[in-house]
């Protein structure tokens, strides 16, 4: 798992060999120990180069090994062995040097990187810290502020930025290994004593206390309860204040706590889940590895409001030529300006020229005749969308894929308006569409595997994690949101306040509680949907709190009737200093309104505690997740969890709602749902779903085994 050869007469070349990313598995670590021994004991060898097979230096420790006991040589002494070698050792960094991979490079005496290589210590995203000396060597090499930035955010830097930071000694645009060998020849006679990073003093900083206090405040705010970012700051503080050996001891202690934590398990699950969703399948049996996507060179985006603008930007950045179309003149002019400035800002960040020539604008639909794919993002109005799909079907050349960004309307109904329903799929982006990483690809009953493969592939090109889901009201994400929001409203009716519900959910780790989020996105959005669904009509002789036979909370509708749409009107569940204001303040009017509502409906407020808020909101959401699995709308729990973490701000250190259900214990989730459903028999979403019962009866298997209990997709191939 590490190859050895002697090149240019005197350079020992060690090549890490473990495709696809040369992760440091037990075999690779053993390979490094053996080949390094060989190089150091070969008298002809004067210097050593370590590189990775197939243009990738190393993607870090082998994460798959984390769940079993350690075998093979441990990484810390291995890197120590590299650093203490008497002959100069040069890292040749191509592709990636991440986590343990970069820590290995930090143990080398010199680092040569390709300008486009990506370097970083992303362990924080796995619930860990750089635990093979990275937290101690990096600050010694590049200083505490830069190390705090890289380690607590886990961000990757390019070779070029790494050079500016002092992380590498040289960058090249040529063959990195050849350059590293040349470099190794040039330093062959220089003893590496002064190049051992662990012996460097940590660069001084004028006010370390203030620096670490600020860093700790920032990470605590961002971390939303995650342990790893906090431990990263503590480890770097040890590097800045203690001798290397003591710093390493502190790194070891902190890593030991993180390594066995549920949070690390959750984040590592999320890492693999993000990759697993790419291996999609459809109930027909069609799969990711047997379906070829269609080519998309040119696309059209229709409707340039909030979503259409972001989608256009993301397409252009992915190298697709775009025709952006809008009927409203003012909106078109504004969109053109907004899109250009988003493209310019994005290009500046990436150090490239903005591809403004890749997009053109249109008032009419004619350019649809010449594109490979259309994404419609007009108002959420079925009649309008249907008309558009009819027009597109008549206009487009044969084979053009027709996609809708609808957030929950029936994709089959849209497809039925076209001559080729097999070309229709949902592409549900999240706002802002050029930033958010999630894409739900919705297949209807007649969508062809190729249409799904095309949308999935296009999402990947746009830098998204695409998840294929079935067609139902709200798809996966918004369907699960409904019972969650409903519970929050019911809790207000029963006695609590928006502030308390939000506080509980934010303490759990959501970026925003339900009510703050609802104020941000606008209460009128849901109001319009409920109107269209006929939910605003109270049946004669029935309570206003019952609609279509189930318990219903009219609170949101009542606020909208008062013109309280949230931030945009300066009033919603909270009050703001002006329309468009951002700072939510408790609103005494709202509290009075809730009291009046309760009196009017004969409700007696009772004390609702933290546990009840959390359980009713989250367990109702999870229960819907189980129903979605049961209905075959999501292929597995990983799909739901990826959607929730990437699209709905579910805290990554809690894995996702389905993973979290497993962490809590399925038996407990079932019992609590039964309890709440007994208390509220008029709320069907609290009735435990059959799949949940089935899993409990079968001994609550771990989340990766749940697929065995789902109905098998029926192959129609
Ligand atoms: N360990 C095990 N498997 C890994 C891995 C790793 N470190 N990195 C990637 N893989 C696997 C992926 O699971 C995937 O497997 P699959 O094909 O079976 O799904 C395959 O390699 C390819 O990965 P990607 O699909 O992600 O390929 P990309 O080319 O898109 O990205 C990458 C490559 C940027 C290296 C990305 O995989 C990545 O970010 N990997 C994780 C890097 C990381 O976090 N390293 C730190 C590990 S922890 C550590 O080192 C602890 C140390 O401090 C002690
Ligand atoms: P928006 O109201 O900001 O923009 C819609 C745009 O469509 C407007 O500019 C309007 O002038 C234009 N339009 C209307 N009819 C048109 C026609 N016939 N031809 C061309 N343009 C037309 O709406 P938004 O928020 O961008 O939503 C668009 C779609 O995306 C909706 O289906 C919505 O449900 C969905 N969506 C919205 C999200 C959000 O957070 N806003 C998130 C995910 C999906």
């Amino acid at each position: 798992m590490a190859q050895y050869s002697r090149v240019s007469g005197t350079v020992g070349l060690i090549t890490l060999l473990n495709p696809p990313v040369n992760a440091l598995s037990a075999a690779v670590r053993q390979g490094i120990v053996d080949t390094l021994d060989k190089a150091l004991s070969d008298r002809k060898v004067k210097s050593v180069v370590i590189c990775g097979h197939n243009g990738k230096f190393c993607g870090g420790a082998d994460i798959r090994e984390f769940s079993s006991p350690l075998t093979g040589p441990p990484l810390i002494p291995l890197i120590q062995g590299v650093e203490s070698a008497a002959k100069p050792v040069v890292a040749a960094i191509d592709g990636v040097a991440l986590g343990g991979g970069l820590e290995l490079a930090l143990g080398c005496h010199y680092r040569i990187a390709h300008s486009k290589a990506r370097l970083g210590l992303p362990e924080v995203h796995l619930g860990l810290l750089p635990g093979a000396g990275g937290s101690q060597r990096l600050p010694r090499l590049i200083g505490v502020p830069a190390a705090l930035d890289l380690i607590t955010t886990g961000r990757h830097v390019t070779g070029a930025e790494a050079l500016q930071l002092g992380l590498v000694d040289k960058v090249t645009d040529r063959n990195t290994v050849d350059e590293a060998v040349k470099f190794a020849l040039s330093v062959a006679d220089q003893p590496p004593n002064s190049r051992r990073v662990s012996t460097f003093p940590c660069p001084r900083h004028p006010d370390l206390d203030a620096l670490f206090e600020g860093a700790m405040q920032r990470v605590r705010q961002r971390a939303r309860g995650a342990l790893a970012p906090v431990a990263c700051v503590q480890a770097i503080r040890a590097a800045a204040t203690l001798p290397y050996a003591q710093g390493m001891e502190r790194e070891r202690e902190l890593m030991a706590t993180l390594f066995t934590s549920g949070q690390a398990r959750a984040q590592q699950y999320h890492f693999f889940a993000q990759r697993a969703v790419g291996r999609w399948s459809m109930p027909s049996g069609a799969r990711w590895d047997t379906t070829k996507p269609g080519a998309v060179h040119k696309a059209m985006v229709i409707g340039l409001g909030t979503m259409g603008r972001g989608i256009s930007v993301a397409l252009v950045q992915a190298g697709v030529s775009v025709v952006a179309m809008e009927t409203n003149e003012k909106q078109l002019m504004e969109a053109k300006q907004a899109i250009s400035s988003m493209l310019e800002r994005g290009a500046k960040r990436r150090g490239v020229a903005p591809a403004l020539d890749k997009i053109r604008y249109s008032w009419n639909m004619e350019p649809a005749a010449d594109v490979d794919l259309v994404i419609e993002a007009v108002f959420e109005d079925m009649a309008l969308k249907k008309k558009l799909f009819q027009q597109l079907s008549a206009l487009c050349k044969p084979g053009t894929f027709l996609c809708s960004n609808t957030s929950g309307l029936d994709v089959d109904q849209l497809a039925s308006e076209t001559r080729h329903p097999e070309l229709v799929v949902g592409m549900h982006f999240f706002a802002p569409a050029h930033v958010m990483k999630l894409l739900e690809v919705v297949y209807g009953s007649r969508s062809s595997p190729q249409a799904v493969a095309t949308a999935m592939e296009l999402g990947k090109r746009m830098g998204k994690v695409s998840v294929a889901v079935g067609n139902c009201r709200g798809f996966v994400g918004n369907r699960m949101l409904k019972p969650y929001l409903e519970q929050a409203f019911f809790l207000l009716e029963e006695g609590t306040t928006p502030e308390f519900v939000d506080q509980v959910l934010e303490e759990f780790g959501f970026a925003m509680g339900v009510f703050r989020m609802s104020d941000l996105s606008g209460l009128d959005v849901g109001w319009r949907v409920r109107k269209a669904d006929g939910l605003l009509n109270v049946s004669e002789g029935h309570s206003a709190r019952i609609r279509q036979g189930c318990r219903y909370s009219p609170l949101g509708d009542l606020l909208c009737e008062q013109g309280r749409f949230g931030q945009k009107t300066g009033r919603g569940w909270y009050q703001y200093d002006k329309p468009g204001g951002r700072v939510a303040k408790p609103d005494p009017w709202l509290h009075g309104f809730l009291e009046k509502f309760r009196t009017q409906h004969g409700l007696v407020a009772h004390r609702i505690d933290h546990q009840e808020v959390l359980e009713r909101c989250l367990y109702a959401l999870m229960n819907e997740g189980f129903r979605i699995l049961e209905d075959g709308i999501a292929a597995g729990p990983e799909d739901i969890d990826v959607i929730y973490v990437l699209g709905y701000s579910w805290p990554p250190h809690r894995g996702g709602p389905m993973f979290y259900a497993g962490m809590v214990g399925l038996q407990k989730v079932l019992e609590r749902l039964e309890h709440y459903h007994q208390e509220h028999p008029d709320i069907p979403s609290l009735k435990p779903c059959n799949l949940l019962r089935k899993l409990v009866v079968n001994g609550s298997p771990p989340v990766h085994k749940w697929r065995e209990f789902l109905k098998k997709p029926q192959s129609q191939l």
Side-chain angles (χ1 to χ4, degrees):
M1 288 292 198
Q3 284 175 338
Y4 179 70
S5 58
R6 186 150 50 78
V7 296
S8 300
T10 61
V11 178
L13 180 67
I14 295 173
T15 307
L16 313 185
L17 180 62
N18 184 16
V21 301
N22 300 318
L24 295 163
S25 62
V28 173
R29 298 195 305 275
Q30 188 62 57
I32 298 174
V33 169
D34 296 345
T35 50
L36 187 68
D37 263 359
K38 227 183 235 177
L40 298 182
S41 55
D42 183 345
R43 273 208 236 119
K44 289 192 189 123
V45 168
K46 302 286 181 221
S47 52
V48 180
V49 168
I50 303 182
C51 67
H53 169 72
N54 208 14
K56 286 191 179 123
F57 181 71
C58 176
D62 190 334
I63 306 165
R64 286 181 206 277
E65 287 184 354
F66 288 175
S67 46
S68 19
L70 178 79
T71 56
L75 201 50
I76 295 177
L78 180 158
I79 294 174
Q80 196 60 49
V82 171
E83 192 185 60
S84 54
K87 300 176 186 177
V89 184
V90 182
I93 301 172
D94 264 325
V96 287
L98 298 174
L102 182 57
E103 291 175 298
L104 172 64
L106 288 169
C108 296
H109 306 122
Y110 301 93
R111 285 155 294 279
I112 313 290
H114 193 276
S115 61
K116 295 207 168 105
R118 287 187 290 153
L119 297 87
L121 293 173
E123 285 89 341
V124 70
H125 297 307
L126 299 170
L128 303 174
L129 55 75
S135 73
Q136 303 305 300
R137 286 195 177 90
L138 192 69
R140 287 180 158 78
L141 187 63
I142 66 172
V144 174
L148 276 168
D149 168 34
L150 287 198
I151 293 176
T152 60
T153 64
R155 78 182 177 94
H156 301 176
V157 295
T158 60
E161 191 182 344
L163 183 68
Q164 281 173 0
L165 288 171
L167 177 53
V168 299
D169 302 287
K170 190 178 168 188
V171 287
T172 179
D173 285 322
R174 304 212 192 116
N175 182 308
T176 316
V177 179
D178 290 351
E179 291 299 308
V181 169
K182 264 193 242 161
F183 190 89
L185 285 168
S186 73
V187 294
D189 297 326
Q190 295 174 22
N193 302 346
S194 65
R195 303 286 316 173
R196 297 188 175 111
V197 178
S198 70
T199 65
F200 294 2
C202 208
R204 285 190 177 281
H205 190 275
D207 192 349
L208 268 186
D209 283 340
L211 180 68
F212 279 106
E213 229 165 78
M216 198 53 109
Q217 252 176 22
R218 270 194 309 279
V219 296
R220 279 197 206 280
Q221 209 171 26
R222 257 197 330 246
R224 300 190 266 132
L227 301 170
V230 173
C232 286
V233 176
Q234 290 169 329
I236 300 168
R237 186 171 193 126
T241 54
L242 298 173
Y244 176 75
Q246 284 176 38
M248 283 300 285
E249 183 50 26
R250 184 78 181 117
E251 180 190 275
R252 192 195 59 72
E253 284 164 11
L254 290 164
M255 182 67 158
T257 311
L258 294 178
F259 200 77
T260 49
S261 69
Q263 293 198 358
R265 248 193 309 141
Q267 288 187 252
Q268 288 156 30
Y269 160 82
H270 177 59
F271 173 84
F272 289 115
Q274 281 188 72
R275 278 136 189 100
V277 296
R279 296 186 278 272
W280 56 272
S281 61
M282 288 166 70
S284 63
R287 292 160 45 104
W288 61 285
D289 53 351
T290 52
T291 316
K292 199 166 171 276
V296 179
H297 303 295
K298 212 169 180 184
M300 184 168 187
V301 178
I302 302 182
L304 301 181
T306 311
M307 295 306 289
R309 296 175 191 191
I311 296 169
S312 302
V313 169
L315 282 167
V316 170
Q317 287 178 342
V320 179
S321 294
V322 173
V323 185
M325 187 264 173
E326 165 68 56
T327 42
N328 179 314
E329 186 178 346
K330 186 166 165 270
Q331 192 72 329
L332 182 65
M333 298 316 290
E334 280 177 14
K336 198 170 170 180
Q337 250 184 3
I339 291 172
S340 301
S341 76
M342 282 191 264
L343 284 172
E344 273 158 8
R345 279 200 305 271
K348 195 168 165 203
R349 243 192 336 269
R350 290 184 298 162
V352 294
L356 298 176
D357 56 337
K358 278 256 179 205
I359 183 161
R360 66 190 177 88
Y361 297 85
S362 170
W363 301 107
N364 60 52
M365 300 268 284
E366 271 155 36
D370 182 35
V371 298
D372 306 308
L373 180 139
V374 178
I375 302 176
E376 160 283 303
V378 301
F379 304 127
E380 187 78 337
D381 173 339
M382 184 50 113
L384 173 65
K385 287 188 195 275
K386 274 184 168 178
K387 199 168 138 218
L388 208 64
F389 272 71
Q390 279 169 15
Q391 286 173 309
L392 286 168
S393 181
L395 257 173
C396 292
K397 65 184 180 191
T400 300
F401 298 101
L402 302 182
C403 312
S404 172
N405 182 45
T406 171
S407 18
L409 296 178
D410 183 355
V411 172
D412 285 334
Q413 277 197 48
L414 296 178
S416 66
E417 299 297 321
T418 68
R419 289 184 202 149
H420 293 286
E422 72 278 9
L423 296 173
V424 175
V425 284
M427 281 184 89
H428 180 210
F429 292 86
F430 290 73
H434 61 301
V435 176
M436 293 289 282
K437 279 199 78 173
L438 178 66
L439 173 68
E440 275 184 327
V441 172
V442 187
Y443 54 82
S445 57
R446 293 199 275 172
S447 306
S448 71
Q450 199 198 24
V452 176
T454 306
M456 292 292 286
E457 175 65 20
L458 184 59
K460 197 169 172 191
R461 269 171 77 191
M462 293 161 94
K464 312 285 177 208
V465 176
S466 315
V467 187
V469 301
N471 180 31
C472 65
R473 193 66 199 259
F475 317 131
V476 169
N478 286 342
R479 174 169 158 181
M480 286 170 70
L481 207 56
K482 189 167 172 269
Y484 168 76
L485 295 174
E486 225 175 52
Q487 286 307 312
F489 292 168
F490 294 156
L491 287 163
L492 289 194
E493 293 185 351
E494 291 164 31
T496 190
T497 60
E499 297 87 79
F500 184 65
V501 174
D502 281 352
Q503 182 201 327
V504 171
L505 295 171
E506 286 162 19
E507 276 170 16
F508 176 77
F510 281 102
M512 260 186 217
V514 183
F515 294 106
R516 241 185 275 278
M517 179 52 86
S518 164
D519 271 1
L520 174 70
S521 46
L523 275 67
D524 51 322
V525 180
W527 190 38
R528 253 183 274 127
V529 174
R530 293 193 294 276
K531 250 189 215 166
D533 287 348
L535 272 167
L536 299 199
N537 313 320
V538 186
S539 325
E540 225 171 283
H542 278 90
S543 149
R545 295 178 49 244
I546 301 282
R547 306 280 161 96
Q548 299 174 354
C550 301
R551 179 166 167 190
Y552 177 85
S553 171
L555 288 175
D557 305 333
L558 295 173
L559 291 200
C560 286
E561 281 167 20
Q562 305 255 355
R564 295 179 72 110
F565 291 170
Q567 284 189 8
K568 60 176 108 169
T569 56
R571 296 274 186 278
W573 298 106
Y574 293 90
Q575 58 175 328
Y576 302 84
D577 56 355
K578 57 175 189 298
R582 296 270 169 128
V583 182
K585 279 191 269 170
D587 189 346
W589 178 90
L590 197 271
H591 298 151
F593 159 79
L594 288 175
E595 267 170 39
K596 254 192 253 156
F597 178 87
R598 288 180 202 123
T599 314
Q600 198 182 346
H601 292 277
L603 295 163
V604 181
H606 72 274
R607 203 184 149 268
I608 291 167
D609 63 9
H610 187 282
Q611 180 186 1
E612 181 167 1
V613 171
L614 209 56
E615 289 183 345
R616 280 184 56 189
C617 291
L618 298 190
Y619 293 7
L621 176 117
M622 292 168 187
N623 198 28
E624 195 62 32
F626 285 111
R627 286 207 180 92
I628 281 173
L629 288 175
E630 197 169 56
D631 295 350
I633 294 295
E638 297 84 359
D639 301 69
I640 296 179
D641 286 336
V642 167
I643 288 172
Y644 258 76
V645 171
L646 298 184
Y648 293 83
S649 97
W650 181 281
H653 60 273
R654 296 195 193 267
M658 307 323 286
F659 181 88
Y660 184 67
M663 290 285 272
V664 171
L666 299 185
Q667 173 86 41
K668 179 176 172 203
V669 174
L670 175 62
E671 281 167 12
R672 298 306 291 160
L673 278 168
E674 272 169 343
H675 163 80
Y676 289 121
H677 189 235
Q678 257 168 23
E679 278 192 348
H680 305 279
D682 53 351
I683 309 180
S685 58
L686 289 175
K687 183 172 182 213
C689 144
N690 286 339
L691 174 63
L692 173 58
R693 289 188 189 284
K694 188 166 152 188
L695 290 169
V696 170
V697 167
N698 282 280
S700 300
V703 69
H704 66 271
K705 298 230 166 179
W706 292 3
R707 280 177 199 247
E708 293 167 20
F709 296 87
L710 304 179
K711 269 183 258 156
K712 294 272 171 294
Q714 283 163 11
S715 174
Q716 291 167 11
L717 291 179

